[in-house]
Amino acid sequence: MTDVLESPLTRKLQVFVALSEVELGVLKRLHLRRRSFAAGRDLVHQGQSDQAAYILAAGWVCSYKLQPDGTRQIVDFQIPGDFLGLRSVLLRTSDHSFEPVTDIQAAEVFADDLLEAFEKTPRLAAAILWAASRDEAMVVEHLVGVGRRAADARMAHFLLELGARLKLVGMGSKKGYACPLTQYHLADALGLSAVHVNRVLRQLRESGLLTFRDGRVTFDKYDGLVELSEFDPAYLDQTGPLLK
Amino acid sequence: MTDVLESPLTRKLQVFVALSEVELGVLKRLHLRRRSFAAGRDLVHQGQSDQAAYILAAGWVCSYKLQPDGTRQIVDFQIPGDFLGLRSVLLRTSDHSFEPVTDIQAAEVFADDLLEAFEKTPRLAAAILWAASRDEAMVVEHLVGVGRRAADARMAHFLLELGARLKLVGMGSKKGYACPLTQYHLADALGLSAVHVNRVLRQLRESGLLTFRDGRVTFDKYDGLVELSEFDPAYLDQTGPLLK
DNA sequence: ATGCTGGGCTAACCGAAAGCAGTCTCCGCA
DNA sequence: TGCGGAGACTGCTTTCGGTTAGCCCAGCAT
């Protein structure tokens, strides 16, 4: 990447806050330490402390919590432009693990650099915390889904949400998107068994709503999905309120 | 309240950050606008915008999301010392509702006052965001529970967590605590039906683990509960890392 | 060629929890 | 003093989703 303007993070933040030259400069400095990681090899393990944070540039990651009984709950997926482990930096401890779903590219950010950037450019800090708040709202939405939605609505809601997020960084549309997740990932995220995920996907396919195939999600009947899952994207596309 | 030092919030923040005179002064100013609300009457409705935040002084509140189909998912309970609607202030919009479980006392905080306080005393801001992060960790833990734990373990984990939080503000111990929640609240929080909550409680009582009765939770066999629910309080009692 | 692995897919069976329907008790109040 | 509502509690039936136990296919290593 030659220009910070091409970074998905910059792109996302610009939606909320018009960033100044200085702020872009700081943001650029945060992008310097570029690293790659292979799919399936955890970046951070639960319980580790003093970790760096990452800005995801390419590829997908999931954050999850491992249960003592071996099952896991995926808390969220990160796509390009998302922060990884912001909380573990602020709290100096990590309470969940990160696994790259695909091979990924990420910029490593040390706690000190981040805190310094926050100090120098509070507007940037606000923008980043804004994004973090949005992520938290997503976790809440996720909780509602797992607690109160039937399996099919849960699946539809999840895939729609992912689509909306991808659209924000130019990686998807109302037609569908490329999706590297396996049915096991879906199961771990939605609190279902892999077998049931398969059943639900078949059901959705047969009722002409969506197709999940060959690493691609296709929305065959977008409106029908929205209705089934009662999807309301309000919590995703609030336009930046804190600063103009 | 004559002295800000008696506020449960101050008490909680002091655990993490030693607050200066100036910071205590700012915190005191935030506590000035004292208000009362009656049980069962929502403070904030989903979708309202430009809301104030509250610092809870006495009583219990739950935050929840309403589904279009009428069911609700309780996201979290707030107890004295907790912030209410911090996010809705930062994002200028509220995506969930708050219902007092009991009659409550709370200090109302307007967005501008809060932002001004953050600007004047960044350490205070850090401490409050620290607490917010802890709350988010709790939501995540909650998600894991709803997604991956069986009903009995989920119940046990939830009641243990609540106990641990109450202990932090001096309202509970390993023996148990006063708990104004109805079985309906538990159902809405745990993603179960009220009927099933009742069955699970009976089961826990009959196996001599805990008793939920007459507004009181009694841990009859604390260790047994910890084992059943695989409760690990690490995410609650991290000692303040950001600032010393 | 063979076998192995990972991902997707399916059927048969079974159990946990929901839904429904109703009782009991306590309490406020007309 | 008798009614009505809230909350706790229970039995019966239904259903959603988990478990077990496979099969198929593609890629790849031997």
Side-chain angles (χ1 to χ4, degrees):
Chain A
M1 178 185 41
T2 51
D3 195 329
V4 68
L5 286 173
E6 289 167 27
S7 146
L9 174 60
T10 311
R11 181 170 179 164
K12 197 173 65 170
L13 295 181
Q14 292 270 28
V15 173
F16 313 130
V17 181
L19 297 168
S20 70
E21 281 303 313
V22 177
E23 286 156 354
L24 286 173
V26 171
L27 205 45
K28 185 171 191 165
R29 288 248 308 289
L30 290 180
H31 278 86
L32 285 183
R33 200 174 295 103
R34 196 62 175 274
R35 300 190 55 182
S36 301
F37 299 90
R41 301 274 286 262
D42 278 13
L43 280 159
V44 180
H45 290 289
Q46 223 160 304
Q48 266 182 326
S49 55
D50 242 17
Q51 273 301 135
Y54 297 90
I55 300 168
L56 190 55
W60 293 39
V61 177
C62 66
S63 53
Y64 64 94
K65 277 202 86 146
L66 223 42
Q67 295 285 103
D69 68 3
T71 63
R72 73 172 179 176
Q73 174 69 44
I74 291 181
V75 174
D76 203 1
F77 291 97
Q78 279 76 40
I79 58 177
D82 286 348
F83 245 97
L84 278 180
L86 185 57
R87 220 178 48 233
S88 40
V89 161
L90 293 178
L91 302 188
R92 303 262 155 125
T93 179
S94 171
D95 64 342
H96 40 282
S97 313
F98 293 96
E99 179 196 300
V101 172
T102 65
D103 292 348
I104 61 161
Q105 299 261 344
E108 191 173 35
V109 180
F110 293 135
D112 293 342
D113 297 343
L114 190 64
L115 294 175
E116 194 196 319
F118 276 19
E119 211 168 304
K120 256 198 222 151
T121 52
R123 275 166 53 94
L124 186 59
I128 288 174
L129 291 176
W130 190 97
S133 278
R134 208 204 50 157
D135 291 352
E136 196 190 331
M138 240 155 39
V139 173
V140 168
E141 196 59 39
H142 201 155
L143 171 64
V144 174
V146 172
R148 289 290 160 198
R149 270 190 273 266
D152 54 354
R154 207 184 302 176
M155 175 73 74
H157 192 278
F158 174 77
L159 294 176
L160 283 171
E161 178 189 277
L162 212 41
R165 288 172 65 189
L166 287 164
K167 214 168 85 182
L168 268 190
V169 289
M171 296 174 65
S173 72
K174 280 201 174 183
K175 303 259 172 214
Y177 51 90
C179 174
L181 304 178
T182 68
Q183 299 189 350
Y184 291 89
H185 285 122
L186 293 178
D188 285 343
L190 300 176
L192 300 170
S193 69
V195 175
H196 200 61
V197 164
N198 187 276
R199 275 194 287 251
V200 169
L201 286 174
R202 169 163 44 128
Q203 196 183 304
L204 289 172
R205 184 175 358 105
E206 284 173 356
S207 50
L209 289 169
L210 77 81
T211 314
F212 179 95
R213 256 198 99 144
D214 301 325
R216 181 148 196 95
V217 172
T218 310
F219 297 132
D220 299 321
K221 204 158 82 189
Y222 194 87
D223 296 341
L225 288 168
V226 169
E227 194 191 331
L228 169 67
S229 64
E230 290 164 330
F231 179 62
D232 171 12
Y235 66 101
L236 289 175
D237 48 39
Q238 301 147 343
T239 44
L242 199 52
L243 306 162
K244 67 229 128 143
Chain B
M1 177 183 42
T2 51
D3 194 331
V4 68
L5 286 172
E6 287 167 26
S7 147
L9 173 61
T10 311
R11 180 172 180 164
K12 197 172 66 170
L13 295 182
Q14 291 270 28
V15 173
F16 313 131
V17 181
L19 297 169
S20 70
E21 281 302 313
V22 177
E23 285 155 355
L24 285 173
V26 171
L27 203 46
K28 185 171 193 167
R29 289 250 307 290
L30 291 180
H31 278 85
L32 285 184
R33 202 174 295 99
R34 196 61 175 277
R35 298 189 55 183
S36 301
F37 299 90
R41 303 275 285 262
D42 278 13
L43 279 159
V44 180
H45 289 289
Q46 221 159 304
Q48 266 183 326
S49 54
D50 240 17
Q51 272 302 136
Y54 297 91
I55 300 167
L56 189 55
W60 293 39
V61 177
C62 68
S63 54
Y64 64 94
K65 278 201 84 145
L66 224 42
Q67 294 285 103
D69 68 3
T71 64
R72 72 172 182 176
Q73 175 69 44
I74 291 181
V75 173
D76 203 1
F77 291 97
Q78 279 76 40
I79 58 176
D82 286 348
F83 244 97
L84 278 181
L86 184 58
R87 218 177 52 233
S88 41
V89 161
L90 293 177
L91 301 187
R92 302 262 156 126
T93 179
S94 172
D95 63 342
H96 37 285
S97 314
F98 294 95
E99 179 197 302
V101 172
T102 64
D103 292 347
I104 61 161
Q105 298 263 341
E108 191 174 33
V109 180
F110 293 135
D112 292 342
D113 298 342
L114 190 64
L115 293 174
E116 195 196 317
F118 276 19
E119 213 168 301
K120 258 198 221 150
T121 51
R123 276 166 51 95
L124 186 58
I128 289 175
L129 290 176
W130 189 97
S133 278
R134 207 204 51 157
D135 290 352
E136 195 189 333
M138 238 154 41
V139 174
V140 168
E141 195 60 38
H142 201 157
L143 172 64
V144 174
V146 172
R148 288 291 162 199
R149 270 190 272 267
D152 53 353
R154 205 184 302 174
M155 176 72 75
H157 192 279
F158 174 77
L159 294 176
L160 284 171
E161 179 188 279
L162 212 41
R165 287 172 66 189
L166 287 165
K167 214 168 84 183
L168 268 191
V169 287
M171 296 173 64
S173 72
K174 281 201 175 181
K175 302 259 171 214
Y177 51 90
C179 173
L181 304 178
T182 68
Q183 298 188 353
Y184 291 88
H185 285 122
L186 293 178
D188 285 343
L190 300 176
L192 300 171
S193 67
V195 175
H196 201 59
V197 163
N198 187 276
R199 280 193 278 255
V200 170
L201 286 175
R202 169 164 44 133
Q203 196 184 306
L204 289 172
R205 184 175 357 106
E206 284 173 357
S207 51
L209 289 169
L210 76 81
T211 314
F212 180 92
R213 255 198 100 145
D214 301 326
R216 178 148 199 96
V217 173
T218 309
F219 298 132
D220 299 321
K221 205 157 84 187
Y222 194 87
D223 295 343
L225 288 167
V226 169
E227 194 191 333
L228 169 67
S229 65
E230 288 161 335
F231 179 62
D232 171 12
Y235 65 100
L236 287 177
D237 49 39
Q238 301 147 342
T239 45
L242 197 53
L243 306 162
K244 67 229 127 198

